[in-house]
């Protein structure tokens, strides 16, 4: 099944890969091509030796990731990068990466998926980054502890809650990943409860000063949803099976 060019064109269009600006090292789109054969789709948060090794064992030949191979920037093809490329090339694994285009997508995006699973409705885009609105916000009156419970259940693990805002929410913002460092900018949009993945130490102090609830679910945990949803969408569209490769980072 020589579907690689067809699948790549489909994802490029579906996620508007060429239209959405991102950090240069994201290198969105096809990062490694294979022979063109696609029989099984894999989804993972990060491109790494662990992920590629599992992909090879599972006979995956098309791997979708949120964080691709080139985040560290330009470097020699030695060490870790050499090992990763060798694994992909020797096992005929094509690698496709989608960062901000996957965060912002209204259906399969990380933010859209997390908001839906939390039961948050009538969301609208907010928080500009790289020329587009990358987060979602909604007006919702929820007991804070209920929202914390939902988040913990959705992520399937512990979360860190800085309960510095109202006990009943008014406006909730969802920005998966590492948006805690942008807490001051988020507060300017009248958000009283921010759900994200991680934050620097000083953000906890800022949350107290801003009287904002800051809920941290983990960078990795909050960004598993987009790659899963995209892989499931492609599986249905192209009648190809898919699997998720779970390699938590602890962050």
């Amino acid at each position: 099944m020589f579907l690689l060019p067809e699948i790549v064109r489909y994802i490029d269009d579906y996620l508007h890969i060429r239209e959405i600006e991102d950090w240069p090292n994201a290198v969105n789109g096809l990062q490694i091509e294979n022979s063109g054969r696609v029989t099984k789709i894999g989804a993972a948060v990060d491109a790494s030796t662990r992920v590629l090794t599992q992909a090879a064992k599972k006979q995956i030949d098309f791997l979708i990731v949120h964080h691709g191979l080139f985040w560290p920037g330009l470097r020699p093809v030695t060490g870790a990068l050499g090992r990763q490329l060798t694994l992909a090339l020797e096992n005929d694994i094509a690698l496709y990466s989608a960062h901000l285009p996957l965060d912002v997508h209204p259906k399969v995006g990380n933010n859209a998926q997390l908001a839906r699973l939390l039961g948050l409705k009538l969301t609208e885009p907010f928080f500009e980054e790289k020329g587009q609105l990358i987060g979602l916000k909604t007006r919702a009156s929820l007991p804070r502890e209920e929202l914390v419970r939902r988040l913990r259940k959705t992520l399937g693990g512990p979360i860190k809650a800085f309960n510095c805002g109202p006990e009943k929410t008014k406006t909730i913002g969802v920005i998966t990943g590492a948006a805690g460092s942008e807490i001051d900018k988020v507060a300017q949009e009248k958000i009283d409860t921010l759900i994200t993945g991680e934050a620097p130490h000083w953000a906890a102090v800022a949350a107290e000063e801003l009287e904002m609830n800051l809920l941290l679910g983990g960078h990795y945990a909050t960004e598993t949803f987009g790659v899963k949803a995209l892989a499931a969408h492609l599986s249905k569209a192209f009648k190809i099976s898919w699997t998720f490769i779970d390699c938590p980072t602890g962050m």
Side-chain angles (χ1 to χ4, degrees):
M1 299 177 68
F2 295 92
L3 292 173
L4 183 65
E6 184 180 352
I7 292 176
V8 168
R9 283 194 299 271
Y10 182 91
I11 305 175
D12 285 352
D13 290 341
Y14 186 65
L15 297 183
H16 305 288
I17 285 289
R18 306 305 168 205
E19 301 166 28
I20 296 175
E21 185 181 356
D22 208 329
W23 283 270
N25 293 348
V27 192
N28 290 313
L30 187 66
Q31 292 192 345
I32 302 175
E33 66 179 2
N34 68 354
S35 63
R37 184 170 178 266
V38 178
T39 59
K40 189 174 184 181
I41 298 169
V45 175
D46 307 290
S48 68
T49 299
R50 277 199 299 160
V51 166
L52 287 163
T53 299
Q54 287 199 37
K57 289 179 179 178
K58 296 175 183 291
Q59 297 182 314
I60 289 165
D61 42 30
F62 186 74
L63 178 63
I64 301 163
V65 297
H66 187 49
H67 304 124
L69 287 175
F70 305 109
W71 278 106
L74 185 65
R75 55 187 168 139
V77 184
T78 58
L81 181 59
R83 181 170 61 246
Q84 292 159 356
L85 291 173
T86 298
L87 273 167
L89 295 172
E90 288 186 347
N91 292 280
D92 202 33
I93 300 171
L95 179 70
Y96 191 101
S97 181
H99 186 238
L100 283 186
L102 189 55
D103 284 323
V104 306
H105 196 273
K107 291 184 179 179
V108 301
N110 282 312
N111 294 308
Q113 288 288 313
L114 180 54
R116 181 182 64 81
L117 291 167
L118 290 173
L120 303 180
K121 300 177 181 179
L122 301 176
T123 58
E124 60 179 290
F126 90 112
F127 192 78
E128 184 175 347
E129 186 67 74
K130 295 293 181 180
Q132 60 262 325
L133 300 176
I134 66 169
L136 292 175
K137 67 178 180 179
T138 185
R139 294 190 61 81
S141 180
L142 271 175
R144 183 176 59 204
E145 290 308 310
E146 169 63 15
L147 183 60
V148 168
R149 185 194 66 78
R150 290 187 194 181
L151 183 61
R152 188 179 293 116
K153 181 179 179 181
T154 298
L155 298 180
I159 69 168
K160 185 67 175 177
F162 297 90
N163 298 325
C164 304
E167 292 186 5
K168 182 163 284 189
T169 67
K170 293 181 180 177
T171 305
I172 301 169
V174 178
I175 311 173
T176 60
S181 59
E182 302 289 352
I183 188 169
D184 286 297
K185 185 177 173 182
V186 169
Q188 293 172 13
E189 303 205 34
K190 308 301 182 184
I191 303 296
D192 60 62
T193 302
L194 173 63
I195 298 170
T196 187
E198 61 174 307
H201 170 80
W202 59 263
V205 178
E208 184 177 0
E209 298 295 340
L210 294 165
E211 297 183 336
M212 179 187 293
N213 297 312
L214 176 62
L215 309 182
L216 306 178
H219 195 136
Y220 178 89
T222 61
E223 295 195 326
T224 60
F225 304 103
V227 288
K228 289 179 180 178
L230 178 58
H233 177 83
L234 293 173
S235 176
K236 184 176 181 180
F238 290 91
K239 304 297 187 289
I240 300 171
S241 65
W242 75 279
T243 188
F244 178 62
I245 300 174
D246 191 14
C247 287
T249 62
M251 295 290 289

